[in-house]
Amino acid sequence: MAARNCITLFAFLLFSCEKIAQKKETPIQTSEPINVTPDVPKTCSAEDRLASYYKLIDISNLNPNIFVNLRYSDTFNFLHTDIYGCIENAYLSDTAATMLNHAQSLLTQKDSSLHLLIWDAVRPRSAQWKMWYAVKMPLEQKVRYVSNPRNGSIHNYGCAVDLTICKTDGTVLDMGTDFDHFGIEANTNNEAYLLQNQMITKEQLQNRVLLRSVMQSVGFRSISSEWWHFNACSRSLAAANYPIVE
């Protein structure tokens, strides 16, 4: 009899322990599900990446007096193809954007009907590779017009801008050549020679000088091969302070 009672008591204790274990293993139920991983979009637009990931500034939001017409977002360029796709606005690093804003302010002070017109700003390195392969020149000549993507262009960091000046109605001031003209007429280091040999006019030279004056007054540097190109800083300084846009 005592043995039967012991067996019964042991069975009862074993059953109770199993119930307690099952109760402890049951997950806690709440009115709202617990989400330990926030929802992050798996993909985003190219411009979203430029603004949110690379922290670049959309110039259209910075100064409405600066006009934008990205030539590589159209087919009206030397590649005759749209290589930027959905990038329609000009993006620059915070430093370059601030400098450009000041340059437009100086231009407005000189003539309120004049506007900086951006043809190119940040350039993803993927686009740089397309340009590199498209330019059919000897290497020593090619590097004067297109930076080697392996080294990274200052454009790739959002620290360079290609631009001109236009009027409020969109009329572009005559600078002697179009954007991406691969010839000596686009050079800035021999303009006296170009003028003397009637390769550019006095008015075209004056327009170039106006563009350079407002850009250089705020710290931009021009280059010898392209009147439209200006750097906000050196390549090494850009690489030290900003990620390269791929």
Side-chain angles (χ1 to χ4, degrees):
M1 185 69 176
R4 182 181 298 175
N5 289 339
C6 288
I7 293 172
T8 302
L9 179 61
F10 176 78
F12 174 79
L13 292 174
L14 181 62
F15 177 79
S16 298
C17 289
E18 289 177 351
K19 283 292 186 181
I20 293 172
Q22 290 175 4
K23 186 175 183 180
K24 288 182 179 180
E25 292 172 357
T26 302
I28 299 174
Q29 298 295 323
T30 62
S31 57
E32 294 291 335
I34 299 174
N35 184 12
V36 295
T37 305
D39 292 329
V40 178
K42 296 185 185 302
T43 60
C44 60
S45 73
E47 291 199 355
D48 286 341
R49 290 180 70 246
L50 294 178
S52 60
Y53 181 77
Y54 291 105
K55 308 300 182 185
L56 299 178
I57 306 298
D58 181 352
I59 300 302
S60 298
N61 296 330
L62 183 67
N63 190 328
N65 285 321
I66 301 175
F67 293 178
V68 175
N69 179 19
L70 295 188
R71 295 283 286 269
Y72 298 129
S73 289
D74 198 348
T75 58
F76 186 39
N77 55 64
F78 80 96
L79 294 171
H80 305 295
T81 185
D82 180 350
I83 66 172
Y84 281 177
C86 60
I87 299 176
E88 298 290 343
N89 296 301
Y91 287 82
L92 290 172
S93 67
D94 51 0
T95 298
T98 300
M99 292 166 61
L100 195 65
N101 186 37
H102 291 161
Q104 177 60 54
S105 297
L106 289 177
L107 185 60
T108 301
Q109 291 173 16
K110 293 177 181 292
D111 188 335
S112 61
S113 70
L114 297 180
H115 307 264
L116 296 174
L117 172 63
I118 299 177
W119 281 328
D120 195 21
V122 69
R123 181 187 304 154
R125 185 151 59 174
S126 56
Q128 190 79 22
W129 278 111
K130 293 179 183 178
M131 295 171 63
W132 179 255
Y133 288 125
V135 176
K136 306 301 182 183
M137 294 179 178
L139 181 60
E140 63 274 10
Q141 186 179 1
K142 180 189 290 194
V143 295
R144 297 184 66 241
Y145 297 102
V146 183
S147 292
N148 190 327
R150 291 184 179 86
N151 303 326
S153 164
I154 300 178
H155 273 294
N156 302 153
Y157 298 96
C159 294
V161 60
D162 295 335
L163 77 174
T164 188
I165 296 175
C166 71
K167 298 180 181 179
T168 302
D169 64 3
T171 303
V172 177
L173 298 192
D174 188 354
M175 300 286 180
T177 76
D178 193 11
F179 175 52
D180 275 350
H181 176 81
F182 298 136
I184 63 171
E185 296 86 355
N187 291 2
T188 62
N189 61 348
N190 61 351
E191 289 171 329
Y193 171 85
L194 298 176
L195 182 62
Q196 181 180 356
N197 288 273
Q198 300 182 343
M199 301 176 78
I200 61 173
T201 67
K202 185 176 180 180
E203 179 186 1
Q204 292 165 349
L205 178 56
Q206 289 174 340
N207 290 338
R208 291 186 185 192
V209 170
L210 174 61
L211 177 61
R212 283 200 296 269
S213 68
V214 296
M215 294 296 285
Q216 293 175 347
S217 293
V218 300
F220 280 101
R221 308 173 204 174
S222 59
I223 63 174
S224 63
S225 57
E226 301 171 348
W227 60 259
W228 56 82
H229 181 99
F230 293 88
N231 294 324
C233 61
S234 65
R235 190 199 314 267
S236 60
L237 196 59
N241 288 278
Y242 300 100
I244 195 165
V245 176
E246 300 290 354

